Amino acid sequence: MTYEDVVTMLEEADLPLAYDHFAEGEAPDPPFLVFLCPDTDNMFADDSVYEKIETLAVELYTDRKDPAAEAKVEAILGRHGLPWQKTEVWIESEKMYEARYETQITGG
């Protein structure tokens, strides 16, 4: 899955979207999505990377608990065959919830 594939997939949520963060002063009102690929878990063979496997983190930011927005993200990941794990945290300094979905993608 390429960067462009990930963008196209996440655009299905019809929410503002950025890689890693929005520019200072340009963050939209919640809900919005941010995604990043913070690390890899590559498969090796013959002293080289046989298959590139990246962690994909999709972060949903909301100003209140939003089960409908979470269900939308979960459905998108499911339609694209991506199993995921979810964590959730309240960010006091931002007064927002972050629901973070982690999965792995190959290719890129």
Side-chain angles (χ1 to χ4, degrees):
M1 183 173 276
T2 66
Y3 174 88
E4 291 79 14
D5 293 335
V6 172
V7 169
T8 299
M9 173 183 72
L10 294 177
E11 285 175 339
E12 293 175 23
D14 198 30
L15 294 171
L17 176 67
Y19 183 82
D20 190 56
H21 65 280
F22 287 90
E24 179 105 15
E26 294 185 15
D29 291 333
F32 59 85
L33 292 173
V34 171
F35 73 99
L36 60 149
C37 296
D39 57 34
T40 61
D41 187 21
N42 295 332
M43 183 183 300
F44 302 100
D46 298 324
D47 297 324
S48 64
V49 174
Y50 176 74
E51 185 169 24
K52 181 179 173 184
I53 303 170
E54 290 186 287
T55 298
L56 171 64
V58 179
E59 299 170 348
L60 170 65
Y61 291 93
T62 58
D63 55 2
R64 59 180 171 72
K65 177 73 174 166
D66 193 339
E70 292 172 23
K72 186 184 290 190
V73 172
E74 293 165 12
I76 290 166
L77 295 172
R79 278 196 305 276
H80 290 270
L82 296 173
W84 49 267
Q85 291 290 330
K86 175 184 163 187
T87 57
E88 182 177 291
V89 65
W90 169 252
I91 304 170
E92 181 65 34
S93 63
E94 301 293 329
K95 303 290 190 236
M96 281 193 280
Y97 285 99
E98 175 197 77
R100 180 180 172 114
Y101 298 86
E102 285 197 10
T103 188
Q104 291 186 320
I105 56 174
T106 57

